[in-house]
């Protein structure tokens, strides 16, 4: 079985089974996580210079930044699962 690639924006993809979490980048703990990953050379910036709208954590403890919203990426992982608009925060 070949790995499923999920588009995270601007021609960048991740292997779906390697992603542990998709998180909104706005909280202070996410900013600390991003800074620590940068210092330890575990940060992958896939934003192409745009604003970070989601943070992906992998099973290898790498941190991937994406310019696509976390809700949109989650839908790409499982297109059948959609949240009602009331539950999606911007």
């Amino acid at each position: 079985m070949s790995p499923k690639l999920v588009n995270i924006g601007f021609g960048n993809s991740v292997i779906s089974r390697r992603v542990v979490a998709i998180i909104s980048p706005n909280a202070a703990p996410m900013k600390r996580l991003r800074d620590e990953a940068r210092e330890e050379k575990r940060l992958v910036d896939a934003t192409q210079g745009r604003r970070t709208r989601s943070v992906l954590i992998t099973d290898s403890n790498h941190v991937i930044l994406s310019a696509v919203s976390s809700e949109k990426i989650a839908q790409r992982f499982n297109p059948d699962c959609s949240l009602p608009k009331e539950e999606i925060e911007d």
Side-chain angles (χ1 to χ4, degrees):
M1 184 168 120
S2 64
K4 179 183 175 195
L5 293 175
V6 176
N7 183 347
I8 60 168
F10 305 106
N12 300 299
S13 300
V14 294
I15 298 173
S16 62
R17 69 173 181 252
R18 301 292 306 263
V19 175
V20 176
I22 306 167
I23 306 166
S24 176
N26 300 327
M30 286 303 101
K31 292 177 183 176
R32 282 194 300 273
L33 181 69
R34 179 180 6 191
D35 292 341
E36 289 173 7
R38 182 175 286 123
E39 289 174 9
E40 297 172 7
K41 309 287 191 237
R42 295 183 291 109
L43 182 70
V44 178
D45 187 349
T47 62
Q48 305 294 0
R50 291 172 176 80
R51 183 178 141 223
T52 301
R53 300 201 58 204
S54 61
V55 177
L56 290 85
I57 312 297
T58 67
D59 60 354
S60 62
N61 208 22
H62 283 82
V63 176
I64 303 169
L65 307 179
S66 174
V68 178
S69 72
S70 53
E71 292 85 8
K72 186 71 164 174
I73 293 176
Q75 287 175 351
R76 291 176 183 175
F77 271 81
N78 188 2
D80 299 330
C81 178
S82 59
L83 296 174
K85 290 187 179 184
E86 303 87 50
E87 293 185 26
I88 298 176
E89 297 177 22
D90 286 342

